Amino acid sequence: MSIVNIEGYLNTHQQLVQAIEGLSEEQLKWKADPGSWSVTEVLAHLADHSIVISFRIRDILADTKVQLPAFGQDAWVSGQHANAGSARDSLELFRSLLQYNSLLFGRLSAEEWEKSGINFKGDKVRIVDIVTSFTNHVQTHLGQIERVKKGAVAAVASQAQ
């Protein structure tokens, strides 16, 4: 058994679902300013990040020795016109990747959890670190969603008056 909290990893989806519960489409797409992210964009970013870590984990397990790829999160969000997409579609991809990865995690030995690669900064990262870091990263974005949500609710309410 690994030292990774797989249940905590899987629970991130439900936390995101609860965080956006009751938001209208307008509130999901609201932005405090053009340079900030909407809730929809945050969710697209988390789906993208899940794709990236899924690749990184598999690359490490395949024993490739190339540097693990970075990704330009802002460029990915803007380049795919994420705010024109659907928050629910991003959440569904996120859920699917969590589930698929958890099946892989269940097959890993303790030694495989410790396998490592070199990240874009040149640091050694283990699979256990990647999964733990990703779970923590989602928590950071849950805080961001709460801040955006408060602004969106207030802005949409003031427009209705």
Short mmCIF file of all heavy atoms in Angstrom, two decimals, residues 20 55 102 110:
data_model
loop_
_atom_site.label_atom_id
_atom_site.label_comp_id
_atom_site.label_asym_id
_atom_site.label_seq_id
_atom_site.Cartn_x
_atom_site.Cartn_y
_atom_site.Cartn_z
N ILE A 20 -19.12 24.54 -7.03
CA ILE A 20 -19.83 25.28 -8.08
C ILE A 20 -21.35 25.09 -8.02
O ILE A 20 -22.07 25.64 -8.84
CB ILE A 20 -19.31 24.95 -9.49
CG1 ILE A 20 -19.66 23.52 -9.91
CG2 ILE A 20 -17.81 25.22 -9.58
CD1 ILE A 20 -19.53 23.28 -11.39
N PHE A 55 0.18 12.01 -17.88
CA PHE A 55 1.29 11.73 -18.80
C PHE A 55 2.60 11.58 -18.03
O PHE A 55 3.37 10.64 -18.25
CB PHE A 55 1.42 12.84 -19.84
CG PHE A 55 2.63 12.66 -20.71
CD1 PHE A 55 2.58 11.83 -21.81
CD2 PHE A 55 3.83 13.29 -20.40
CE1 PHE A 55 3.71 11.63 -22.59
CE2 PHE A 55 4.96 13.09 -21.17
CZ PHE A 55 4.90 12.26 -22.27
N SER A 102 -6.77 6.29 -10.70
CA SER A 102 -6.87 5.52 -9.45
C SER A 102 -6.79 4.02 -9.72
O SER A 102 -6.26 3.28 -8.88
CB SER A 102 -8.16 5.87 -8.69
OG SER A 102 -9.29 5.31 -9.31
N ALA A 110 4.88 -0.61 -3.97
CA ALA A 110 5.51 0.44 -3.16
C ALA A 110 6.74 1.00 -3.87
O ALA A 110 6.99 2.21 -3.84
CB ALA A 110 5.88 -0.11 -1.79
#
